[in-house]
Amino acid sequence: MATTISRRSFLGLSAFLGLGIAGCSSLRGGPGPSKGSGKALESTEVETSLGKVAGKELEGDVITWYGIPYGKPPVDGLRWKAPERADAWVETRDCTEAPDRALQFSGDKVVGTEDCLNLTITSKVGHAGKPVLVYVHGGNNQTGTSAEIVGDDMVDKADCVYVSLNYRLGLLGFNCLPSLVSKEGASSNFGMLDIALALDWVRENVGAFGGDPSNITVSGFSAGGRDVMAMLISPAFRGKFQKAIIYSGGMTTSDTATAQIRIAKAIAPLAIEDGRAADEDSARKWLLSEGDEVRAYLMEIDSERLVPLMANANIRMSVFPHLFEDDVVIPKGGFRGASYNGVPTIMLTGTSEFSMFSLGDPWWQSNEATVLSVDELAAASAFSVKYGSDMYRIFNAQESAEAMADSFGEKVYVCQVDYGGDNSAMATDLQPYGSFHGIFVPMIATDNQYAALMPNVFDKTGYGAMAEAYNGYLKHFLATGDPNGDGLEAWDRSSRQSLILDADEIEARISCEDVSRTYGDIIADMKADVTIPQDVKDAVAKNVMNGRWFSTALDEYYGGGWAN
C-alpha cells in the first residue's frame, strides 16, 4: 500500500501520515530538545582545545569552518602509523577556504595532499546543544573528499551541527604489509584510526560550535558507509558515537594474509625498478618479510608513486583490499560472530545501485562485447543493471539487517529509495541510471554533483516532497534515535519492513513494505530470463557482475557451473 503525500509543512505532513501507512506509525511534528552543552553559537570565531578558528559566514546565519586539523600531517616518520593529535596554534586560524582532498589518484592523475587529517564543521548562529552528524565520504577508500556532501542545508533541515572528514586513502590509509605492523597491537587500518581520532576531536570540541557531544550520529556513503558498518564491530570505536546512518554500505572486510599478498604484488614493480629485487617473485617475497630494511624502503617511496598502484577498484575488494581483520580495529572473522557496538541505526539503499558501475564498466568496449548488435548490447546492459542492482540493493541493507537481527541489541531501520527505479512513477526521468548509487544525496543537499548530470529532476515538486519527508525522519532520528516518534517499524525477521521512498511529478509516495529477496531468488530469475542468450549471460556475469561487493553468491554459483 502506498500513501501519496503532497508538498506541505512538516506538521501537515505529520498529520497526514497519522492516517496510517502500511506497516508504519505516524510521524511527530518535531524532535524534543537535546541535552545542552554550552552557550549558543554567536560568532564565526570559536575557541577549540588546540586554538581559535575563524569560519566563513554563509546565508541564513550559517557558518562553516573549513579544514580544521585534528591530526598531525601523516608524513615522514608518521606515514603508516596511528595518527597523532594535531599541534596547538597561537594565532587565530583562518578556516574560511575549503581544504585540499587527501592524496589520491583521480582522473588519471595524482591530486590532493598528504596533509589531510582535517574536518569541516557547519553550524548556525544560535545553535546550542544540537545533535551532531559526522559524515565519512565515499570513494572506495581510495578517492573522495569531505566536500562530497556539504552541510549548509542540513543544519536547517535536520536541526544539527554537521561535520565532514578527510582521512588517509588508498595504500597510504590501508597497508598491512608485515614490516609496517609487526609491533604487537599495531593496526594496519590507518584511515580508520584517522576517523577514530577525528571523533575524539569532535567529542572534545563540538560543544563550542553549538553541538551536543553526547549525541553524535556517525554516517557515511558507499565506502564511508562500509567504514561505519566496520565501526559497529570495532573495539576502537566503542562509545565514540550514539547512532549510525549508513548509505549504500554493507559488510566488507579483508583477510589480512590474503591482502598482504595482493599489496606486495602491487608494490613489487617499484622494488624491481629501484633495484631491490631482480624479478617479481623475489620482490614479492622480500616485501612480505618483516625486516627493518623493507620498512625503510617502503617509507622512502615517493607517495605519488604509491597512489596509482591499486586504483580503479570499482567496488571490487580483490583490486584494493582494505578494512583488514587485524584484530585491533577490526576483529578476526570480521562480521562473522561479531560483538556489536549496538546503536540505533538507519540503513538506506536505492533500487538501481549497480547502474553507474555497470554502465561504466570497460568490458562494454571490449572485442567480446563489440561483436554484439546494438539491440543485443542494450539488452545485455539492462540485464546487468537489473540483476546486479537487485543484488547490490539487498547487500546494502537487507543482508546486514539479517546478520544483525539476533545480536545487535538496538533497532535497525531499513529504507529504500524507489524514485527513478523500474517500479517508480518517475522511471523514465532517470534513465539509464534509475534509483542510482547516491540517489539520496539531493534529498539532503541542494548543492550536489548529480544536479548537472540529471538536470530538471531533483527540483521537481514530487522529489521535493519526498525529500521533505525523509528530512523529517532524519531530523527526528538525530535528536532521539527513533526516526518516527512512536515507532516507524524497525526491521525484524518476522515483518521485514522497509520504508519505501518514492514520488511522482507532484507528490511523494511513502509506504512500508517487505521488499526482501534472496540471492538464490535473483539467480533463479537470471537463469529464467530470455532477453539475452545464454552465452551473453555468461559473458556479462563473468566480466561485468563478478567480484563486486555484492556478487559473492553469484561468483560461487557461477564457479560451480553457471549453465547447470
Side-chain angles (χ1 to χ4, degrees):
M1 172 184 172
T3 297
T4 302
I5 306 168
S6 60
R7 175 180 285 274
R8 61 194 74 191
S9 70
F10 188 64
L11 284 173
L13 176 65
S14 304
F16 186 82
L17 288 178
L19 296 174
I21 301 176
C24 296
S25 296
S26 64
L27 286 164
R28 287 181 176 175
S34 299
K35 293 180 180 179
S37 54
K39 63 181 182 179
L41 179 67
E42 297 177 348
S43 169
T44 58
E45 292 195 0
V46 173
E47 189 73 48
T48 77
S49 58
L50 297 176
K52 186 175 287 188
V53 292
K56 182 176 182 178
E57 188 167 359
L58 308 177
E59 292 183 7
D61 288 334
V62 173
I63 305 173
T64 294
W65 295 262
Y66 296 100
I68 304 173
Y70 62 83
K72 293 180 181 179
V75 298
D76 302 325
L78 293 182
R79 177 193 278 188
W80 291 318
K81 284 189 176 180
E84 295 184 3
R85 180 184 170 97
D87 291 328
W89 54 89
V90 176
E91 301 294 330
T92 299
R93 190 179 187 94
D94 184 350
C95 293
T96 59
E97 298 292 333
D100 202 353
R101 67 191 72 182
L103 197 71
Q104 57 194 262
F105 191 68
S106 178
D108 296 323
K109 62 182 179 180
V110 176
V111 298
T113 175
E114 288 182 87
D115 184 6
C116 63
L117 303 190
N118 58 67
L119 52 82
T120 293
I121 300 178
T122 303
S123 188
K124 188 173 183 179
V125 173
H127 268 9
K130 297 294 184 180
V132 180
L133 178 60
V134 178
Y135 180 77
V136 183
H137 71 74
N140 205 69
N141 285 133
Q142 292 182 291
T143 63
T145 167
S146 61
E148 179 176 79
I149 296 179
V150 295
D152 305 8
D153 290 344
M154 273 184 281
V155 297
D156 270 330
K157 292 178 180 178
D159 196 30
C160 68
V161 174
Y162 179 76
V163 184
S164 57
L165 314 174
N166 282 318
Y167 55 100
R168 281 175 282 183
L169 300 171
L171 278 175
L172 294 172
F174 298 89
N175 191 337
C176 60
L177 286 179
S179 63
L180 300 178
V181 289
S182 55
K183 183 179 178 182
E184 185 176 355
S187 173
S188 45
N189 292 297
F190 305 104
M192 292 293 289
L193 293 174
D194 295 343
I195 297 169
L197 181 63
L199 285 171
D200 289 340
W201 189 98
V202 170
R203 286 192 300 164
E204 183 177 0
N205 291 285
V206 78
F209 295 86
D212 179 358
S214 67
N215 188 6
I216 294 173
T217 300
V218 64
S219 178
F221 168 46
S222 196
R226 292 185 296 107
D227 293 342
V228 174
M229 286 298 304
M231 294 177 205
L232 295 177
I233 60 170
S234 173
F237 284 85
R238 189 166 293 127
K240 292 187 187 295
F241 55 93
Q242 286 69 52
K243 295 178 290 296
I245 303 173
I246 297 151
Y247 297 107
S248 304
M251 296 177 168
T252 55
T253 59
S254 288
D255 170 72
T256 300
T258 303
Q260 288 172 340
I261 293 170
R262 290 174 178 160
I263 292 171
K265 182 178 180 180
I267 298 178
L270 299 186
I272 297 169
E273 184 179 328
D274 295 336
R276 304 305 174 103
D279 54 57
E280 189 169 322
D281 185 58
S282 59
R284 287 200 304 266
K285 290 179 180 177
W286 182 67
L287 289 165
L288 287 169
S289 67
E290 295 187 10
D292 291 340
E293 182 184 3
V294 178
R295 177 178 176 82
Y297 170 68
L298 292 169
M299 296 293 284
E300 73 183 31
I301 299 175
D302 187 275
S303 58
E304 295 202 2
R305 297 174 69 202
L306 286 166
V307 171
L309 291 181
M310 305 179 89
N312 301 319
N314 205 10
I315 64 171
R316 287 184 169 107
M317 190 69 80
S318 60
V319 178
F320 170 58
H322 54 285
L323 297 176
F324 310 117
E325 298 171 10
D326 56 17
D327 221 22
V328 179
V329 170
I330 299 176
K332 296 287 187 185
F335 290 92
R336 296 183 299 277
S339 176
Y340 288 102
N341 302 324
V343 295
T345 298
I346 291 175
M347 294 186 292
L348 180 146
T349 184
T351 58
S352 311
E353 291 273 345
F354 190 49
S355 60
M356 291 184 176
F357 298 100
S358 179
L359 292 165
D361 193 279
W363 183 80
W364 301 110
Q365 280 73 51
S366 69
N367 291 334
E368 188 177 6
T370 53
V371 300
L372 301 175
S373 70
V374 172
D375 289 344
E376 289 171 329
L377 271 175
S381 177
F383 178 93
S384 174
V385 170
K386 178 179 179 178
Y387 297 110
S389 290
D390 214 15
M391 289 185 178
Y392 204 175
R393 172 185 71 87
I394 65 175
F395 168 84
N396 283 340
Q398 176 194 318
E399 186 177 20
S400 297
E402 290 172 342
M404 296 155 68
D406 296 330
S407 57
F408 190 61
E410 288 285 352
K411 289 184 177 181
V412 174
Y413 302 90
V414 174
C415 300
Q416 178 174 296
V417 182
D418 281 8
Y419 190 92
D422 289 343
N423 297 322
S424 172
M426 302 303 295
T428 56
D429 264 33
L430 283 173
Q431 293 304 313
Y433 307 109
S435 184
F436 58 88
H437 189 69
I439 183 67
F440 75 96
V441 174
M443 291 197 297
I444 60 176
T446 305
D447 181 7
N448 64 80
Q449 63 181 318
Y450 304 107
L453 179 65
M454 306 165 197
N456 305 316
V457 172
F458 307 116
D459 55 356
K460 290 190 174 180
T461 304
Y463 188 91
M466 180 182 69
E468 184 177 12
Y470 176 71
N471 281 299
Y473 287 112
L474 177 62
K475 178 179 179 179
H476 213 288
F477 182 78
L478 294 180
T480 69
D482 184 333
N484 195 33
D486 290 331
L488 172 67
E489 190 170 345
W491 195 97
D492 61 45
R493 291 192 186 279
S494 58
S495 66
R496 308 175 75 85
Q497 294 291 294
S498 294
L499 174 70
I500 309 301
L501 300 168
D502 196 9
D504 57 25
E505 287 273 358
I506 305 300
E507 297 177 324
R509 297 181 175 184
I510 312 295
S511 64
C512 279
E513 304 172 25
D514 178 357
V515 291
S516 57
R517 300 198 76 201
T518 69
Y519 291 112
D521 292 337
I522 299 167
I523 292 171
D525 287 350
M526 292 172 68
K527 289 185 67 177
D529 192 302
V530 295
T531 59
I532 57 176
Q534 186 64 51
D535 62 330
V536 180
K537 290 183 186 180
D538 291 351
V540 170
K542 288 192 295 184
N543 294 287
V544 182
M545 301 172 71
N546 74 305
R548 310 286 185 166
W549 311 137
F550 59 81
S551 66
T552 300
L554 180 64
D555 297 340
E556 290 174 352
Y557 178 79
Y558 187 82
W562 167 255
N564 292 335

